[in-house]
Amino acid sequence: MGIRNLRNAVSRDLKHARLSSFAFRVTALAFLFVAGCGAPGEPTPPAPPIPVTIADLAARQAGDGVQLIFTLPSKTTAGDRLASPPAVEIVRGTPKPDGSPDAKSMRVVYTIPGSLVGNYIAEGHVKFIDPVAPAETRAHPGGALVYVIRTRASQKRASGDSNAVSVRMYPVAVPITNLEARVTEPAIELNWTAPALTSGGDALNGFSGYRIYRGELDAALAEAAQTDISKAKWKSPFTLLAPSVENTYRDTLFDFGKTYAYVVRSVVLVDGNALESSDSNAAIVSPRDTFPPAAPQNLVAAVLSGATPGSVLVDLSWSINLETDLAGYRVYRSEQEGTRGALITADLLLAPAYRDTSVEPGKRYWYSVTALDRAGNESDASAAAAVDVAKPSP
């Protein structure tokens, strides 16, 4: 009986051990299942791109406004390249007595969408003019304005404020509105009416003259630019051409076949500083060379012996034309006085001389010469030169 009891006890222990091992395996699998199928945490949204802060903002008075110049950021604060140009926020206010920006006065006065920023980029910088009401400048002559710039690549986060700049605003001349341009052969002639008032309506003081600016346009868009200069496509932007103390100017440094735009700004002196008015209306011209050279002068004709015995020729010469765009000369011959006759030179003559070897003895001829320029304009004929070709002696 003792041995039987011992066997039963051993059987019970083994069975218990097998159940314990099975339970352990089930528990472990359940733990792994729960761990693998647990709910994940909420995804973290990507941080919005933040453009680097502008550090080179500069400003100056430009007519009835302030021109702001700065470099547009191309990277984020994380060092990544911006996918597209950021929007630009122009922030304007007034300074505290110590010259620092008064935070309570700072307001966003203009926003340039990123898609339009390229319209204001020139020479690698953004150049934007923030208009200031002439009445405000009139009420506070010499008053200071403070600017900072922010850029924004997303609606959620803007860049930091740029360096702050301060500009004092003074009254300037009212913009010229009747600039006209007329094309002549030697010059494009500009004229306009002299201003007598400031843009705020007061009498103009400190006037010192004018500055004339010229730019070259793409001729294909010149017509659109006539009504809206902002639609112009520039081959070269406005640059200072010359100063003038008179309300006229003659531009002799132009080329036919190009399209030019002109603006004029009046200048006043304030505390020794020259301040320009806003731009005049733009005068746009596309000069075409329709001006022929002068008629050749001093035509002389002489009968000479030819290269063979008994032959003759007519030797022609005349004074050289002085036009810088001269292309050459043509010679005409007639057997009837008062008519130009036929062209006897197949090619343009580069020199003021010609020998006609096709004359016939016993005839009278009338010769005339014209000059042509590189645009194909032909001058009037010279005064005719008559010559008698005698018959050879028997």
Side-chain angles (χ1 to χ4, degrees):
M1 293 297 294
I3 293 173
R4 184 181 299 171
N5 292 336
L6 179 61
R7 286 177 179 173
N8 292 335
V10 171
S11 178
R12 288 194 301 271
D13 291 339
L14 290 173
K15 184 177 181 181
H16 179 73
R18 286 195 295 271
L19 290 172
S20 298
S21 177
F22 177 77
F24 175 79
R25 288 196 296 272
V26 170
T27 302
L29 288 172
F31 177 79
L32 292 174
F33 179 82
V34 172
C37 297
E42 292 295 327
T44 303
I50 305 172
V52 295
T53 300
I54 293 169
D56 64 345
L57 176 62
R60 67 177 185 87
Q61 181 173 353
D64 291 307
V66 175
Q67 185 179 54
L68 304 170
I69 304 173
F70 56 92
T71 303
L72 190 71
S74 60
K75 292 186 176 181
T76 68
T77 52
D80 300 322
R81 182 167 292 278
L82 290 169
S84 58
V88 175
E89 296 178 348
I90 313 295
V91 184
R92 184 177 74 191
T94 54
K96 294 179 180 179
D98 63 0
S100 62
D102 183 353
K104 295 181 179 179
S105 69
M106 303 300 286
R107 299 286 186 276
V108 176
V109 294
Y110 199 86
T111 299
I112 308 174
S115 59
L116 299 180
V117 169
N119 296 340
Y120 300 96
I121 294 179
E123 300 174 342
H125 292 82
V126 177
K127 296 183 178 182
F128 177 81
I129 294 182
D130 174 38
V132 178
E136 182 178 343
T137 304
R138 180 188 185 192
H140 306 283
L145 298 174
V146 177
Y147 288 86
V148 297
I149 301 292
R150 292 194 295 258
T151 58
R152 189 183 292 273
S154 73
Q155 293 294 327
K156 295 181 179 180
R157 186 80 179 271
S159 71
D161 288 346
S162 71
N163 58 301
V165 293
S166 178
V167 179
R168 292 192 176 277
M169 295 293 295
Y170 296 92
V172 293
V174 65
I176 294 165
T177 59
N178 62 345
L179 174 63
E180 295 180 350
R182 185 173 71 93
V183 178
T184 65
E185 184 177 8
I188 296 177
E189 299 179 352
L190 305 175
N191 65 83
W192 59 92
T193 300
L197 302 174
T198 68
S199 52
D202 295 326
L204 184 63
N205 296 314
F207 175 77
S208 68
Y210 307 94
R211 291 175 181 171
I212 296 94
Y213 291 81
R214 187 184 74 181
E216 185 184 350
L217 301 176
D218 184 338
L221 297 178
E223 185 175 350
Q226 290 277 6
T227 55
D228 186 354
I229 194 64
S230 66
K231 296 180 180 179
K233 183 178 180 181
W234 297 97
K235 288 188 174 181
S236 59
F238 281 124
T239 54
L240 180 62
L241 179 63
S244 175
V245 294
E246 303 293 336
N247 59 329
T248 59
Y249 182 75
R250 298 177 77 252
D251 177 16
T252 60
L253 303 176
F254 74 97
D255 295 318
F256 288 112
K258 295 184 177 181
T259 299
Y260 297 102
Y262 296 87
V263 295
V264 176
R265 301 171 189 167
S266 304
V267 181
V268 296
L269 291 178
V270 178
D271 296 334
N273 297 316
L275 298 179
E276 298 179 340
S277 69
S278 296
D279 288 345
S280 70
N281 63 297
I284 299 175
V285 291
S286 299
R288 299 289 180 263
D289 186 358
T290 59
F291 306 97
Q297 301 293 315
N298 305 317
L299 174 61
V300 175
V303 179
L304 302 177
S305 298
T308 59
S311 66
V312 293
L313 58 83
V314 174
D315 183 78
L316 302 169
S317 63
W318 57 92
S319 299
I320 191 170
N321 280 55
L322 301 179
E323 288 84 1
T324 57
D325 63 341
L326 184 71
Y329 303 94
R330 288 174 176 168
V331 176
Y332 295 85
R333 186 183 70 189
S334 175
E335 296 182 21
Q336 182 178 353
E337 185 177 8
T339 62
R340 179 178 293 189
L343 176 67
I344 61 172
T345 49
D347 300 317
L348 285 178
L349 301 176
L350 302 182
Y354 181 70
R355 284 190 168 182
D356 181 12
T357 59
S358 63
V359 295
E360 298 179 18
K363 289 189 175 182
R364 168 172 281 194
Y365 296 102
W366 285 265
Y367 291 91
S368 61
V369 180
T370 62
L372 279 84
D373 62 20
R374 288 193 290 269
N377 299 304
E378 186 173 12
S379 73
D380 292 333
S382 68
V387 62
D388 291 309
V389 181
K391 292 183 178 181
S393 300

